[in-house]
Amino acid sequence: KLSTVWGGVAATANDALVVGGYLYEGNFELDCGSGNTAYFRSVIVGDTRVDSTEGGGKMTITSGKLSRGAIANDTGYMTVGRNNATGNSPYYGVGYLYINGGEVNMDRMTIGEKRADADLAGLGHVVLQGDSVINLPCEKTFDPPSMVGLKVNNGDFTWNDNGNSSVTSGFMSVNTATLIFQSADISFGTDGKGIVLEGGKPSGDGSAIFTTDALFDVTGLADTTNWVTLITAAGGIGFTN
């Protein structure tokens, strides 16, 4: 449990945080209080396992901010559930991230990731609730260029809007995964705009892309005859395949 500030916004050597890394199960809680920040270069929750009985990684954020430092120094990459093995190894990482308060201010987040030569992706589960914030500004650029932001690749992302929570990024993609929306007042985020994807970001044009395997689960919404906005995308919404 980290209950104080950590690292620095301008530090050239912020630490990488691995919760549930190779050979280990992991549990981590950030509870550093309002107005305080823990800076990490990158974060992995639930890395590659060594056998099927090994547990995953679990992170809980209850207060404070989890953030990357300066763009030039930190990758700002947050991964929940990663498979870093080669081939068809079934021991992919399983990660759980519960954001029960505070803010995640990384550059990008992938839920369920795999290396290029792996057959199976990791499995990730993220739950956002309470007065929590996810801000993924997509400021880090890559060569070759690629869109980054909120990538729900394998697993699920649950937004239980029972407070003043919000999700902002510059790009979103959903692959073999599920977006789960739960709300008693039928409104998500600031001004009811849902997940806000802003245009004009260095590595995000404000778009949302969904494959044919992407799913929406709205069974957690109260019955209503009104329209409910789940995503507001400056660059539009597209479907592949």
Side-chain angles (χ1 to χ4, degrees):
K1 180 176 180 179
L2 183 62
S3 57
T4 184
V5 297
W6 182 271
V9 64
T12 58
N14 281 330
D15 289 314
L17 174 62
V18 180
V19 183
Y22 185 67
L23 291 177
Y24 294 96
E25 298 179 22
N27 289 277
F28 179 90
E29 180 182 356
L30 177 65
D31 187 13
C32 62
S34 176
N36 292 326
T37 302
Y39 292 97
F40 288 96
R41 183 175 71 251
S42 61
V43 179
I44 298 175
V45 182
D47 206 352
T48 312
R49 299 174 297 166
V50 294
D51 58 54
S52 60
T53 62
E54 184 181 0
K58 176 183 176 182
M59 174 186 282
T60 303
I61 301 175
T62 53
S63 72
K65 179 187 290 188
L66 178 71
S67 179
R68 87 282 189 266
I71 302 170
N73 300 330
D74 293 352
T75 61
Y77 197 5
M78 185 167 193
T79 305
V80 184
R82 182 177 81 149
N83 184 9
N84 198 36
T86 59
N88 62 352
S89 170
Y91 306 136
Y92 50 81
V94 180
Y96 300 86
L97 172 62
Y98 301 97
I99 310 173
N100 302 330
E103 178 177 348
V104 172
N105 184 40
M106 302 299 283
D107 189 75
R108 59 204 189 279
M109 177 190 295
T110 297
I111 302 171
E113 183 187 49
K114 70 182 184 72
R115 61 185 296 165
D117 50 358
D119 295 332
L120 301 174
L123 182 63
H125 307 279
V126 175
V127 178
L128 173 72
Q129 56 191 347
D131 297 327
S132 308
V133 173
I134 294 178
N135 181 33
L136 310 170
C138 294
E139 294 177 325
K140 194 85 173 181
T141 57
F142 300 89
D143 187 18
S146 62
M147 296 295 183
V148 296
L150 177 58
K151 182 178 182 181
V152 191
N153 188 50
N154 186 39
D156 45 67
F157 173 82
T158 301
W159 188 354
N160 185 0
D161 192 19
N162 53 0
N164 294 314
S165 52
S166 63
V167 180
T168 306
S169 185
F171 184 76
M172 181 174 68
S173 63
V174 183
N175 190 16
T176 307
T178 304
L179 296 180
I180 304 171
F181 294 91
Q182 301 174 341
S183 174
D185 61 3
I186 319 300
S187 178
F188 291 90
T190 305
D191 299 327
K193 295 180 180 179
I195 298 175
V196 175
L197 303 173
E198 301 174 334
K201 301 294 183 181
S203 294
D205 62 359
S207 297
I209 302 297
F210 301 91
T211 73
T212 52
D213 294 319
L215 297 175
F216 286 85
D217 185 337
V218 293
T219 56
L221 300 184
D223 189 24
T224 179
T225 58
N226 298 322
W227 287 94
V228 179
T229 301
L230 304 178
I231 299 169
T232 300
I237 296 177
F239 299 88
T240 64
N241 300 326

